[in-house]
Amino acid sequence: MPLKRSPSPNSSASSSATKKFKTSHHLDFSHYINLNSKSYPFKHSTKAAIKWNNGSKKKPFEIFEDKYNEGKLNEDEKYLVHWFKNDLRIHDNTSLYHLVQDAQKINAKPIGIYIISLKFLESHLESALKVQFIQNTLKVLRESLSKLNIPLSIIYLDDSKDKYKLSSNSYDSFKDWLTALLNEKFQTNSIYYNVNYEYDELNRDISLLSSNLNIKAFHDQCIVKPMELTSGKGTQYSKFSPWFKKWDSYLNSSPIELLQIQHKFEKWDWSHLPNDDDYKLPPQFQVSSLKEVGVTDIGNFENLKGGEDEALEKLEKWISNSIKEYQSEKDYPSLSSTSRLSPYITQGSISPRLIVTKCQEANNNKRIGGNTGIETFIKEVAWRDFYRHVTVNWPYLMMFVPFNLGLIDLKWSDDYSRFEKWCLGETGFPIVDASMKCLLHTGYMNNRCRMVVSSFLSKDLAMDWRMGELWFYNHLIDADLSSNNGGWGFSSSTGLDAQPWFRIFNVYTQSEKFDPDGVFIKKWLPNLSKLENFHEPYNEKIDAKEIEKLTNGYPKPIIDRKQAREETLERYREAM
């Protein structure tokens, strides 16, 4: 098995490896292999990581906190703008709530805007399913806002080449473009928004602080604001368990407050406001692009419901019907044992505060104790806070640098055909392939399956975990940078609070335990439905030619697991 140290994505080693990589499906995998090097040069990120860790360089969140001064309410403003980001809801939306309150005070008209940045879509390899879900959600949000007589303008910005055009003018920065947009098109200088904690988005928010805009920014993504929970040494927790105890204690002393908008504004004519609803996204962000990986039924994705009402209905049904069995059933992919709220949480169609509040109510107002299913689910929601807190404190986690800097030199295979087969569900390991097929055809994967396939890629196949992280992000409808990164760091043993490096999931054991009857495997790999041993089709007890007939061409395992295990243990020992 050819192994190499993970190169800088800009290095010649990486470039030559990419040129050698050809796929039988004629798909372009180079942007996964190159690890998005244009956005985050690996060398720079590693140097920055050390400076952030030793305190010689301020973290973006700290810079924002230092620079931000809350704007003053200007009584002469006729319009106030709320910039929707991943907070696509009306109720319990911190920024929107305060804008409505201020608009009432000065009798101003509230306006909502949403900006589709082509630069961010491209640099982040956003999922076509996720982008479609956002568009569906925006339609619902627009209807809900209009009932309160608040318009929503959707602005498409082609900033892929760092040029920002508005009418006949061109601007050199997003800051200048946004200022001109608000002044000229919305006749205001006041903007409200909830702060993003992702690296690029946070730096964009920081750039706005040097503008002439009257900015009111709020912390809304997390139930508890990042940097609030520190250990006895005054540092960010790197382990979930002690962090969760502190998180729970914090909420005991500062109970969750839900901000509900009740006011409806007078009807007014907003026909003069700009909209760009005729935009057309590049092909890779349209669900039709999924045909390249064998997905033909894309109609379900195009019509997938989004929005706050749908999220609230799902939450209500989840709590009423299933949540109490969550702990015992969540790992079985054939069961409808999860809430399926994650896409709605990611886009902010429902707030984590509301979810935890409703779960507490169903658990005799307890977060810890009571029903184990409810407690476990509350912890899952808390994990989202935790992962955001740690990416804020260790920003390099969002730049393809592992938390464990000692594993920078971990060797990886350069046999990229393995990565292709993993992506498309053609490895010869049924639970892995079924999970990957499920991802491609639904945009979703059960969390147990996510752990199995990510461990398999990074440890059994010896492929760089960051490639898998990007593939997941580019195909998950609930793609969330912090949670996705945290999950891959856990499975590859390179992240914080990760599984021990010597722990390697046995895919056959996982399959037998969590899909004992093969319901999930046979659904996504129907060519294995005639086999008794669908967990491990090719074994020594049955004639290989007979198996090939029964499986209708299902591939043989692409690796020897026993050999791969020994090589993986050696790789980690050497790196550490």
Side-chain angles (χ1 to χ4, degrees):
M1 175 172 56
L3 294 172
K4 63 180 181 61
R5 295 194 182 278
S6 182
S8 160
N10 291 326
S11 70
S12 57
S14 177
S15 299
S16 60
T18 304
K19 290 177 182 177
K20 292 177 184 176
F21 180 46
K22 296 180 180 179
T23 80
S24 58
H25 294 264
H26 309 291
L27 299 175
D28 179 14
F29 285 75
S30 60
H31 40 287
Y32 304 106
I33 296 167
N34 285 329
L35 300 175
N36 228 2
S37 57
K38 290 183 179 179
S39 299
Y40 308 116
F42 195 84
K43 267 187 176 179
H44 165 76
S45 302
T46 307
K47 290 178 181 178
I50 296 170
K51 290 181 178 180
W52 279 321
N53 282 350
N54 64 26
S56 61
K57 180 176 181 177
K58 279 194 172 184
K59 298 155 190 172
F61 185 86
E62 294 172 324
I63 295 173
F64 183 89
E65 290 285 274
D66 287 347
K67 287 188 174 183
Y68 175 68
N69 289 308
E70 183 178 348
K72 295 181 180 180
L73 182 59
N74 183 355
E75 295 186 3
D76 294 329
E77 291 279 31
K78 294 181 180 179
Y79 305 98
L80 299 179
V81 168
H82 168 71
W83 177 13
F84 284 98
K85 300 178 183 179
N86 54 351
D87 57 339
L88 304 183
R89 65 182 182 276
I90 293 175
H91 298 294
D92 198 36
N93 183 324
T94 309
S95 171
L96 183 62
Y97 173 84
H98 286 285
L99 177 142
V100 168
Q101 297 294 103
D102 286 351
Q104 285 181 260
K105 291 177 185 176
I106 62 173
N107 197 29
K109 296 177 176 63
I111 298 171
I113 66 170
Y114 184 88
I115 300 169
I116 299 176
S117 164
L118 183 57
K119 175 182 179 180
F120 277 24
L121 293 182
E122 290 181 344
S123 64
H124 296 168
L125 283 181
E126 290 290 359
S127 158
L129 296 183
K130 179 179 171 183
V131 172
Q132 181 66 55
F133 185 71
I134 291 172
Q135 293 178 98
N136 293 352
T137 302
L138 287 170
K139 291 177 183 178
V140 176
L141 178 63
R142 173 176 278 167
E143 293 174 3
S144 299
L145 285 168
S146 67
K147 292 176 182 178
L148 298 177
N149 289 323
I150 301 175
L152 174 64
S153 289
I154 300 170
I155 311 297
Y156 178 66
L157 174 60
D158 185 354
D159 52 350
S160 56
K161 296 181 180 179
D162 286 323
K163 290 295 180 184
Y164 307 86
K165 292 184 178 180
L166 182 65
S167 301
S168 59
N169 297 320
S170 182
Y171 300 90
D172 293 328
S173 68
F174 177 82
K175 173 185 69 175
D176 294 337
W177 173 85
L178 183 63
T179 302
L181 175 73
L182 294 177
N183 291 169
E184 296 174 18
K185 303 296 183 180
F186 295 98
Q187 301 169 37
T188 185
N189 200 45
S190 297
I191 185 168
Y192 294 60
Y193 59 78
N194 293 311
V195 180
N196 281 131
Y197 301 136
E198 293 79 10
Y199 185 80
D200 291 336
E201 287 84 343
L202 185 51
N203 278 311
R204 181 174 65 178
D205 286 354
I206 290 170
S207 73
L208 295 178
L209 299 182
S210 60
S211 70
N212 294 322
L213 293 173
N214 187 35
I215 294 173
K216 287 199 173 188
F218 302 87
H219 294 282
D220 183 78
Q221 268 195 0
C222 296
I223 298 174
V224 177
K225 179 183 170 183
M227 300 289 195
E228 286 289 320
L229 308 179
T230 55
S231 66
K233 297 180 180 179
T235 58
Q236 167 67 43
Y237 288 100
S238 61
K239 300 285 186 182
F240 176 76
S241 293
W243 175 91
F244 178 71
K245 289 180 181 178
K246 195 69 172 282
W247 181 85
D248 181 65
S249 176
Y250 181 94
L251 293 182
N252 285 334
S253 59
S254 302
I256 294 172
E257 179 186 4
L258 299 177
L259 304 174
Q260 303 297 345
I261 294 175
Q262 307 292 343
H263 184 74
K264 180 177 180 179
F265 289 86
E266 291 291 326
K267 191 172 180 62
W268 58 286
D269 180 13
W270 56 67
S271 59
H272 64 285
L273 299 179
N275 285 307
D276 194 354
D277 291 311
D278 295 328
Y279 64 87
K280 186 173 182 181
L281 293 169
Q284 67 268 33
F285 302 116
Q286 300 176 31
V287 291
S288 57
S289 65
L290 292 172
K291 292 179 180 178
E292 294 183 353
V293 289
V295 179
T296 55
D297 184 13
I298 61 174
N300 290 333
F301 299 134
E302 292 174 326
N303 300 315
L304 186 67
K305 287 186 178 180
E308 188 170 10
D309 290 343
E310 183 74 10
L312 292 171
E313 184 178 335
K314 282 184 176 292
L315 176 63
E316 184 178 341
K317 288 181 179 179
W318 169 242
I319 292 175
S320 300
N321 303 330
S322 308
I323 193 172
K324 291 184 178 179
E325 285 73 45
Y326 180 64
Q327 171 61 24
S328 59
E329 296 184 351
K330 65 183 177 67
D331 289 317
Y332 295 86
S334 63
L335 301 177
S336 299
S337 54
T338 57
S339 70
R340 296 301 180 96
L341 281 168
S342 54
Y344 300 87
I345 300 172
T346 299
Q347 297 313 320
S349 294
I350 190 169
S351 77
R353 292 181 294 270
L354 178 60
I355 293 174
V356 170
T357 299
K358 293 296 184 182
C359 289
Q360 281 182 235
E361 291 174 358
N363 197 34
N364 295 319
N365 208 32
K366 294 179 180 179
R367 285 184 298 275
I368 298 178
N371 179 268
T372 55
I374 298 178
E375 178 186 341
T376 301
F377 185 71
I378 289 175
K379 282 186 177 179
E380 296 288 354
V381 178
W383 269 100
R384 287 179 168 267
D385 261 24
F386 176 67
Y387 280 140
R388 275 178 170 72
H389 285 208
V390 299
T391 50
V392 162
N393 191 73
W394 292 286
Y396 57 86
L397 294 175
M398 296 180 274
M399 304 167 74
F400 305 109
V401 178
F403 174 77
N404 188 342
L405 295 176
L407 290 176
I408 285 286
D409 291 329
L410 186 61
K411 290 180 180 179
W412 303 106
S413 170
D414 60 3
D415 182 357
Y416 295 120
S417 65
R418 292 180 175 183
F419 178 62
E420 172 197 354
K421 290 180 172 65
W422 176 85
C423 291
L424 302 178
E426 299 172 356
T427 67
F429 293 87
I431 191 64
V432 173
D433 294 341
S435 299
M436 298 307 291
K437 296 286 188 187
C438 177
L439 171 63
L440 292 178
H441 287 267
T442 69
Y444 176 79
M445 190 188 294
N446 171 281
N447 192 58
R448 169 60 55 174
C449 293
R450 295 189 195 200
M451 290 192 288
V452 171
V453 301
S454 54
S455 173
F456 183 79
L457 180 73
S458 58
K459 293 186 174 178
D460 292 83
L461 299 186
M463 303 305 302
D464 194 327
W465 60 273
R466 289 165 286 207
M467 293 159 54
E469 181 188 350
L470 277 174
W471 180 264
F472 263 32
Y473 196 87
N474 194 217
H475 291 85
L476 284 168
I477 196 168
D478 64 357
D480 174 85
L481 190 149
S482 297
S483 296
N484 190 40
N485 175 267
W488 277 93
F490 171 84
S491 296
S492 63
S493 302
T494 61
L496 78 174
D497 207 359
Q499 66 176 349
W501 61 273
F502 50 80
R503 184 186 180 194
I504 304 173
F505 278 143
N506 183 320
V507 290
Y508 297 131
T509 302
Q510 294 287 313
S511 180
E512 291 166 2
K513 185 175 181 180
F514 297 112
D515 192 28
D517 299 321
V519 175
F520 178 72
I521 288 174
K522 291 175 183 179
K523 176 180 180 179
W524 295 107
L525 303 173
N527 45 345
L528 300 184
S529 58
K530 296 180 181 179
L531 286 177
E532 289 186 17
N533 189 359
F534 43 80
H535 299 295
E536 189 178 356
Y538 294 95
N539 58 45
E540 297 175 0
K541 298 178 181 179
I542 303 176
D543 181 72
K545 290 184 179 179
E546 184 64 22
I547 290 293
E548 287 182 12
K549 291 181 182 179
L550 291 173
T551 60
N552 192 26
Y554 181 69
K556 295 179 179 180
I558 60 175
I559 57 161
D560 181 320
R561 282 202 69 255
K562 291 183 180 179
Q563 180 184 347
R565 175 181 173 81
E566 293 306 313
E567 291 175 345
T568 291
L569 293 175
E570 182 58 32
R571 286 190 298 119
Y572 277 81
R573 286 193 196 101
E574 182 181 340
M576 296 180 72

